């Protein structure tokens, strides 16, 4: 391979001398980029794409990292454009996750160089803390109620509820572990789940009735339909749930067709959130500009980093659409830290998902963010306030763990 040609134009900052990819599995897989400058400053970025981790690791290792060497670390926008336009093959989860990781690491570096937490570089604090929601789930309604009680005791102001569906052996969102949720299962072949929209639609309204009946309306209630409904079915569910005043109904229908959301919006006032599988502003342009959604729920790691996600949230602000960052356990603490800096600084923040990480993950990724009274706070450390303990990371080698697939009761493949 020929030497990459570094930009020789004026730049005030140090140059990138090293860019490395670290794959580690402290319970689940995480991919992290670590960039070092000629001044010895390091920055980290999350590059985890659940179930497809090694594709991003290779994209970075083989194509992106070598091209970064010699570039000015302070030129975040230029490097973003270089990686996006320069690849010719635009968008897509693998490309955009790789770009996101580099972008995040460069913001971390810029913060450290400036001696400021990243949220200060983004305009400073627009609120006191980042309101987060947790997942209360259970095999049956009684179990979910116990879980909701615990979240409220912890001080959460927003809770997502998911319940097992009688007649289906496993249901999305119902986990054996509490506080964190990991749907990917170790092994080569994905596990197979079964699904029935009819059984789901009949059972799930009872959950909301029980939750509001027991705990009242003094906290935000959310639910994830995980891309399983047609627009008509989603409209019917949204209408049925209106009396329970959901904060949002998430991913009601697959969003390849942004148009489909018009049908949902025409029929229900239940607010709609979507976006965790989006990777660019183009995936949500129509949804936002035609006001077909209420919350855009993309995240730093899968939507091009802080630079691109901020652009999405800025567009959304023009149309009264608020943010709703994805924050499942499969996004590393590096992504969580980056999300918090952005959440704290944008005017149209909505809600941040907060699935906790296991103790092993938290040890590999020491961080300064903390939870108190329903809010997360990113801390005041310069940069993102998160790092990776490389020695410890080495102890946890990669283990294949794909996401499940989903079939209807007659065996037809369905969206998981
Ligand atoms: C959520 C998500 C997750 C995803 C997971 C896939 O709302 O938190 O739907 O549970 O399924 O991130 O990797
Ligand atoms: Mg979701």
């Amino acid at each position: 391979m020929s030497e990459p040609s570094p930009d020789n134009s004026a730049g005030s900052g140090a140059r990138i001398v090293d860019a490395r990819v670290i794959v580690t599995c402290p319970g689940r897989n995480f991919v992290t980029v670590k960039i070092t400058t000629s001044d010895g400053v390091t920055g980290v970025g999350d590059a985890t794409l659940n179930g497809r981790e090694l594709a991003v690791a290779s994209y970075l290792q083989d194509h992106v990292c070598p091209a970064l060497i010699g570039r000015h670390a302070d030129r975040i926008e230029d490097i973003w454009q270089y990686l996006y336009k320069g690849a010719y093959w635009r968008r897509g989860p693998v490309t955009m996750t790789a770009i996101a990781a580099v972008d995040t690491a460069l913001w971390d570096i810029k913060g450290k160089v400036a001696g400021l937490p990243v949220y200060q570089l983004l305009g400073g604090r627009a609120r006191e803390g980042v309101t987060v929601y947790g997942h209360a789930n259970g095999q049956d309604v009684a179990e979910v109620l116990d879980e909701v009680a615990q979240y409220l005791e912890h001080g959460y102001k927003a809770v997502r509820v998911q319940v097992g569906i009688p007649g289906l052996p496993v249901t999305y969102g119902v986990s054996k572990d509490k506080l964190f949720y990991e749907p990917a299962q170790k092994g080569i072949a994905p596990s197979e789940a079964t699904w029935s929209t009819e059984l789901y639609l009949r059972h799930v309204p009872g959950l909301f009735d029980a939750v509001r009946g027991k705990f009242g309306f003094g906290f935000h209630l959310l639910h994830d339909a995980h891309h399983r409904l047609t627009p008509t079915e989603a409209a019917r569910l949204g209408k049925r749930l209106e009396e329970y005043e959901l904060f949002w109904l998430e991913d009601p229908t697959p969003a390849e067709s942004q148009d489909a959301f018009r049908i949902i919006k025409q029929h229900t006032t239940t607010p709609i959130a979507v976006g965790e599988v989006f990777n660019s502003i183009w995936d949500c342009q129509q949804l936002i500009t035609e006001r077909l959604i209420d919350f855009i729920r993309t995240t730093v790691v899968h939507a091009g980093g802080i630079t691109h996600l901020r652009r999405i949230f800025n567009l959304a602000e023009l149309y009264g659409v608020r943010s709703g960052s994805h924050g499942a356990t499969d996004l590393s603490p590096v992504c969580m830290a980056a999300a918090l800096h952005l959440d704290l600084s944008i005017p149209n923040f909505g809600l941040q998902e907060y699935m906790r990480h296991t103790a092993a993950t938290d040890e590999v990724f020491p961080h300064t963010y903390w939870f108190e009274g329903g809010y997360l706070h990113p801390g005041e450390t310069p940069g993102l306030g998160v790092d990776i303990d490389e020695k410890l990371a080495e102890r946890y080698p990669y283990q294949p763990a794909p996401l499940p697939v989903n079939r209807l009761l007659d065996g037809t493949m369905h969206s998981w």
Side-chain angles (χ1 to χ4, degrees), residues 251-263:
D251 293 347
T253 198
E256 282 93 336
S257 159
Q258 299 182 35
D259 245 14
F261 283 71
R262 192 171 296 120
I263 297 172

Side-chain angles (χ1 to χ4, degrees), residues 265 281 284-296 311-323 348:
K265 259 281 167 255
I281 200 163
C284 44
Q285 182 187 17
Q286 187 184 4
L287 289 169
I288 291 172
T289 59
E290 295 186 21
R291 301 175 203 266
L292 304 180
I293 54 171
D294 300 273
F295 296 90
I296 179 67
R311 203 157 277 150
I312 292 175
F313 288 163
N314 288 167
L315 174 69
E317 195 220 341
L318 281 179
Y319 296 91
V321 172
R322 287 189 281 163
S323 74
N348 53 331

Side-chain angles (χ1 to χ4, degrees), residues 50 160 172 181 224 226 250 276 297 326 328 330 353 416:
N50 202 0
R160 175 187 114 158
Y172 164 77
Y181 177 62
D224 190 349
H226 221 254
E250 176 177 326
E276 69 184 40
R297 213 179 140 276
H326 186 204
D330 48 289
E353 182 180 25
W416 174 75

Side-chain angles (χ1 to χ4, degrees), residues 101-404:
V102 172
D103 181 82
T104 307
L106 294 178
W107 278 102
D108 191 21
I109 289 172
K110 197 179 275 297
K112 287 178 182 172
V113 170
L116 292 169
V118 167
Y119 79 82
Q120 291 288 10
L121 304 181
L122 299 173
R125 199 181 274 279
R127 57 197 47 78
E128 299 313 315
V130 174
T131 311
V132 297
Y133 72 93
H135 292 196
N137 62 82
Q139 284 305 336
D140 55 31
V141 171
E143 215 182 299
V144 184
L145 293 179
D146 289 348
E147 283 281 300
V148 173
Q150 285 194 20
Y151 275 101
L152 296 179
E153 256 165 53
H154 276 104
Y156 280 79
K157 301 183 184 324
V159 185
R160 175 187 114 158
V161 292
Q162 308 288 140
V163 69
I165 307 300
L168 298 181
V170 288
T171 309
Y172 164 77
V174 180
S175 66
K176 41 187 191 333
D177 302 311
K178 302 302 176 191
L179 288 175
F180 28 86
Y181 177 62
E182 183 45 71
Q185 276 179 33
K186 302 216 169 87
I188 300 294
S191 63
E192 302 223 352
T194 43
W195 178 250
S196 159
T197 299
E198 295 73 22
L199 293 178
Y200 165 79
L201 286 180
R202 218 167 294 143
H203 188 66
V204 86
L207 170 65
F208 296 91
D209 203 48
V211 173
R212 285 304 194 202
K214 178 154 183 180
F215 301 102
F217 286 77
F219 63 101
H220 296 317
L221 192 56
L222 303 92
H223 180 67
D224 190 349
H226 221 254
H227 327 268
R228 285 159 187 218
L229 309 176
T230 64
T232 306
E233 290 161 350
R236 198 193 310 156
L237 179 63
K239 246 169 116 166
R240 178 74 182 77
L241 298 183
E242 275 169 19
E243 60 181 301
Y244 307 115
E245 298 178 16
L246 264 63
F247 190 77
W248 74 47
L249 171 62
E250 176 177 326
D251 293 347
T253 198
E256 282 93 336
S257 159
Q258 299 182 35
D259 245 14
F261 283 71
R262 192 171 296 120
I263 297 172
I264 306 174
K265 259 281 167 255
Q266 278 165 352
H267 288 95
T268 179
T269 56
T270 293
I272 302 298
V274 71
E276 69 184 40
V277 302
F278 294 178
N279 10 88
S280 89
I281 200 163
W282 308 104
D283 295 332
C284 44
Q285 182 187 17
Q286 187 184 4
L287 289 169
I288 291 172
T289 59
E290 295 186 21
R291 301 175 203 266
L292 304 180
I293 54 171
D294 300 273
F295 296 90
I296 179 67
R297 213 179 140 276
T298 39
T299 190
V300 172
V301 56
H302 299 139
I306 291 174
T307 297
H308 195 68
L309 188 55
R310 183 161 62 146
R311 203 157 277 150
I312 292 175
F313 288 163
N314 288 167
L315 174 69
E317 195 220 341
L318 281 179
Y319 296 91
V321 172
R322 287 189 281 163
S323 74
S325 290
H326 186 204
T329 307
D330 48 289
L331 317 177
S332 93
V334 178
C335 175
M336 179 55 74
L340 294 176
H341 287 276
L342 194 51
D343 293 339
L344 202 61
S345 66
I346 54 169
N348 53 331
F349 171 72
L351 199 57
Q352 169 71 52
E353 182 180 25
Y354 177 40
M355 290 304 289
R356 288 167 195 252
H357 291 105
T358 61
T361 299
D362 282 341
E363 257 185 89
V364 170
F365 297 97
H367 53 261
T368 56
Y369 63 79
W370 85 95
F371 173 88
E372 193 176 35
Y375 301 100
L376 273 175
H377 303 271
E380 296 300 321
T381 310
L384 294 173
V386 62
D387 209 343
I388 181 163
D389 181 333
E390 291 188 64
K391 276 265 149 311
L392 200 53
E394 266 176 32
R395 281 204 227 150
Y396 302 105
Y398 168 78
Q399 297 182 39
L403 286 167

